[in-house]
C-alpha cells in the first residue's frame, strides 16, 4: 500500500515534475533534449548484460574503474549505464565513448521501470552509492533481476530522512540482493532501514582505488611549465555562496603571493557564467578554460568552466579546497586531491564524506576552515612552505593507499551474483 500511494502521488505530481524539468531546461538547455528516455523510450540500451546506474558526474567517475574491470572480466556481457542529469550523461560518454550503452533513467513509476527492464533484460542491476527508487527496486525484484548497491554510503542525516518514510522504504531496502557498503557505521544504518545482514558486506570505498594516470600527470606537468613558476591553488566543486568566500580568500593570498593562481571550478555548469561575473566584479584577472587559452601572468584566476577535467585541474595545483563544505552541502570527494598528494582544505559541512574526511584530518592531510581569513591563512602557509605541504600531501596519499582494495571485493561479489 505505501508504494501504491507513492506511485499515485508521483503520477499526480508528474505535471509539476515536468514543469521543473522545463525550468531546468531554460537554465541549462541540455535538459530539453532526450525527454523520451525519461519515459523509457529510446536510448542506447544493450540488452542481456549488466546495467549500471550512476545518478550524475560524481557517481559516474566513481563507477568508471568498476565498469572497465567488468568489461574485461565479462567481455560477453554488454554494459548499459544510466544516469539522471545531462552532466552525468556527458561524463559517461567522455569516460566510455561507445563502449557502453547509455540512456537516462526513466521516472520512478512502475510501468516506466517495467518498460525499461523489459527492453534491457539485464542479468544484474548495479546502483551506485544510494540512488535508490522504490519502483525501480520492486520491478527488478518482479523480473528476477538481482540488485546490487555498490560503494554504498548513507550519512546519519540521510538515514533520518529515510526513517521518516520507513513504511515505504523498508521493503525496498529488504529487497536488495547485496549491499557493498563503505564503512561499518553506514552498515548499521542500512540494517536499521531493513537491509538483511546476510546481504551486506563492508567492502570500503572504491574511491580509494583511484590511481591517477601517467597521461594526466604528464599533461599537468606541461600545463604548469607554460604557467611559469607561480603558486597554484584550486577551489573545486564550489556551490553558490562559496565562490565569494573563495575569491575573498584569494585576494588575501595575493597579498603574500602576488603571482598566485586560483583555479576555480564551480560544481554545476549552469553557474559558470554567473561565477565569471563574480570574478570580474572582484577585480581579478581571469581566463576561462573553455576559451582554450592558458593563463598569462596577469591572470589571477583560471575558471574551470568545462566538464570532466576536474582531476586534470587538481593535478596542476599545489593546494586544494573541496567545495560543498562551506555551505550545508556535505562536501565532495576528498580522495581525488589526496590521491594526487595535495594538502586539502574543507569547510565544516563534511557529512557526505565524514569518515573519509576524518581519516585525512587525523593524518594531517586535511584542515577545516570556516571563512575566508582562515582559508587564506592555511593556503598561504602551505603555498609558502613546500616541505609542510608535501608532508600533508604525502600523509593523504598514505591514507588512500592504506584503504585500497574495495574495488576487487566489489567485483568478486558481483561475479558471484552473475554466477560466472
Amino acid at each position: 500500500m505505501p508504494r501504491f500511494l507513492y506511485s499515485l502521488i508521483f503520477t499526480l505530481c508528474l505535471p509539476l515534475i515536468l514543469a521543473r524539468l522545463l525550468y531546468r531546461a531554460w537554465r541549462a538547455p541540455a535538459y530539453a533534449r532526450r525527454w523520451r528516455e525519461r519515459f523509457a523510450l529510446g536510448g542506447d540500451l544493450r540488452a542481456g548484460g549488466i546495467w549500471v546506474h550512476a545518478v550524475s558526474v560524481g557517481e559516474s567517475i566513481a563507477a568508471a574503474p568498476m565498469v572497465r574491470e567488468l568489461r574485461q572480466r565479462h567481455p560477453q556481457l554488454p554494459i548499459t549505464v544510466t544516469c539522471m542529469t545531462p552532466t552525468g550523461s556527458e561524463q559517461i560518454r567522455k569516460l566510455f565513448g561507445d563502449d557502453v550503452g547509455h540512456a537516462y533513467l526513466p521516472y520512478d513509476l512502475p510501468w516506466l521501470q517495467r518498460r525499461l527492464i523489459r527492453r534491457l533484460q539485464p542479468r544484474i542491476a548495479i546502483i551506485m552509492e544510494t540512488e535508490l527508487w522504490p519502483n525501480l527496486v520492486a520491478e527488478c525484484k518482479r523480473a528476477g533481476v538481482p540488485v546490487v548497491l555498490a560503494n554504498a554510503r548513507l550519512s546519519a542525516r540521510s538515514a533520518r530522512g529515510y526513517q521518516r518514510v520507513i513504511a515505504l522504504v523498508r521493503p525496498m531496502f529488504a529487497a536488495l540482493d547485496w549491499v557493498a557498503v563503505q564503512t561499518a557505521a553506514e552498515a548499521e544504518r542500512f540494517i536499521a532501514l531493513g537491509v538483511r545482514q546476510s546481504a551486506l558486506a563492508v567492502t570500503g570505498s572504491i574511491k580509494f582505488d583511484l590511481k591517477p594516470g601517467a597521461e594526466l600527470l604528464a599533461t599537468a606537468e606541461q600545463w604548469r611549465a607554460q604557467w611559469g613558476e607561480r603558486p597554484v591553488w584550486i577551489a573545486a566543486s564550489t556551490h553558490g555562496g562559496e565562490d565569494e568566500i573563495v575569491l575573498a580568500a584569494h585576494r588575501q593570498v595575493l597579498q603574500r603571493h602576488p603571482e598566485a593562481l586560483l583555479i576555480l571550478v564551480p560544481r554545476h555548469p549552469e553557474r559558470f557564467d554567473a561565477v565569471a561575473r563574480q570574478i570580474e566584479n572582484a577585480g581579478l584577472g581571469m581566463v576561462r578554460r573553455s576559451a582554450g587559452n592558458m593563463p598569462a601572468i596577469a591572470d589571477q584566476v583560471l575558471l574551470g568552466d568545462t566538464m570532466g577535467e576536474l582531476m586534470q585541474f587538481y593535478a596542476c595545483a599545489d593546494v586544494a579546497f573541496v567545495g560543498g563544505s562551506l555551505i550545508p552541502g556535505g562536501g565532495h570527494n576528498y580522495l581525488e586531491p589526496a590521491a594526487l598528494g595535495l594538502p586539502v582544505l574543507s569547510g565544516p559541512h563534511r557529512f557526505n564524506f565524514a569518515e573519509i574526511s576524518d581519516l585525512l584530518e587525523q593524518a594531517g592531510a586535511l584542515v577545516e576552515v570556516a571563512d575566508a581569513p582562515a582559508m587564506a591563512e592555511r593556503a598561504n602557509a602551505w603555498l609558502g612552505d613546500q616541505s609542510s605541504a608535501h608532508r600533508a600531501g604525502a600523509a593523504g596519499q598514505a591514507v588512500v593507499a592504506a584503504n585500497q582494495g574495495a574495488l576487487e571485493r566489489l567485483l568478486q561479489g558481483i561475479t558471484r551474483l552473475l554466477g560466472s
Side-chain angles (χ1 to χ4, degrees), residues 153-355:
R153 61 187 179 96
L154 185 65
S155 68
R157 180 180 178 181
S158 296
R160 289 193 295 272
Y162 278 122
Q163 285 289 353
R164 296 189 188 101
V165 288
I166 192 65
L168 171 65
V169 301
R170 185 176 290 280
M172 175 183 73
F173 282 106
L176 297 173
D177 292 274
W178 190 50
V179 178
V181 69
Q182 295 186 22
T183 68
E186 288 167 310
E188 292 301 319
R189 293 173 198 143
F190 277 111
I191 290 169
L193 290 171
V195 173
R196 293 168 288 118
Q197 194 153 8
S198 60
L200 183 145
V202 179
T203 57
S205 172
I206 63 173
K207 292 181 178 180
F208 282 107
D209 290 278
L210 179 67
K211 294 181 177 66
E215 183 180 347
L216 179 141
L217 297 176
T219 300
E221 188 175 344
Q222 292 170 8
W223 285 13
R224 285 299 297 261
Q226 295 179 62
W227 299 353
E229 295 293 327
R230 59 190 304 189
V232 179
W233 70 296
I234 181 172
S237 299
T238 59
H239 291 240
E242 294 185 310
D243 303 290
E244 48 266 53
I245 297 172
V246 169
L247 292 172
H250 189 48
R251 283 195 292 270
Q252 295 179 48
V253 168
L254 289 168
Q255 292 174 14
R256 278 193 46 191
H257 303 280
E259 294 186 345
L261 176 69
L262 167 66
I263 305 173
L264 180 53
V265 188
R267 177 72 174 177
H268 299 111
E270 58 266 29
R271 296 185 55 246
F272 289 161
D273 290 339
V275 174
R277 289 191 293 272
Q278 282 185 277
I279 297 168
E280 291 171 350
N281 292 338
L284 297 169
M286 173 189 65
V287 62
R288 297 180 69 146
R289 168 62 182 156
S290 59
N293 299 321
M294 286 294 168
I297 195 64
D299 293 314
Q300 297 155 314
V301 180
L302 169 60
L303 178 61
D305 58 347
T306 54
M307 297 302 300
E309 291 193 303
L310 182 57
M311 282 297 287
Q312 190 67 66
F313 293 136
Y314 273 135
C316 293
D318 303 309
V319 174
F321 164 72
V322 178
S325 59
L326 286 171
I327 50 96
H332 291 294
N333 187 0
Y334 299 97
L335 294 176
E336 291 172 335
L340 287 160
L342 300 186
V344 179
L345 297 170
S346 171
H349 303 284
R350 302 183 282 167
F351 53 82
N352 281 338
F353 293 87
E355 289 82 2

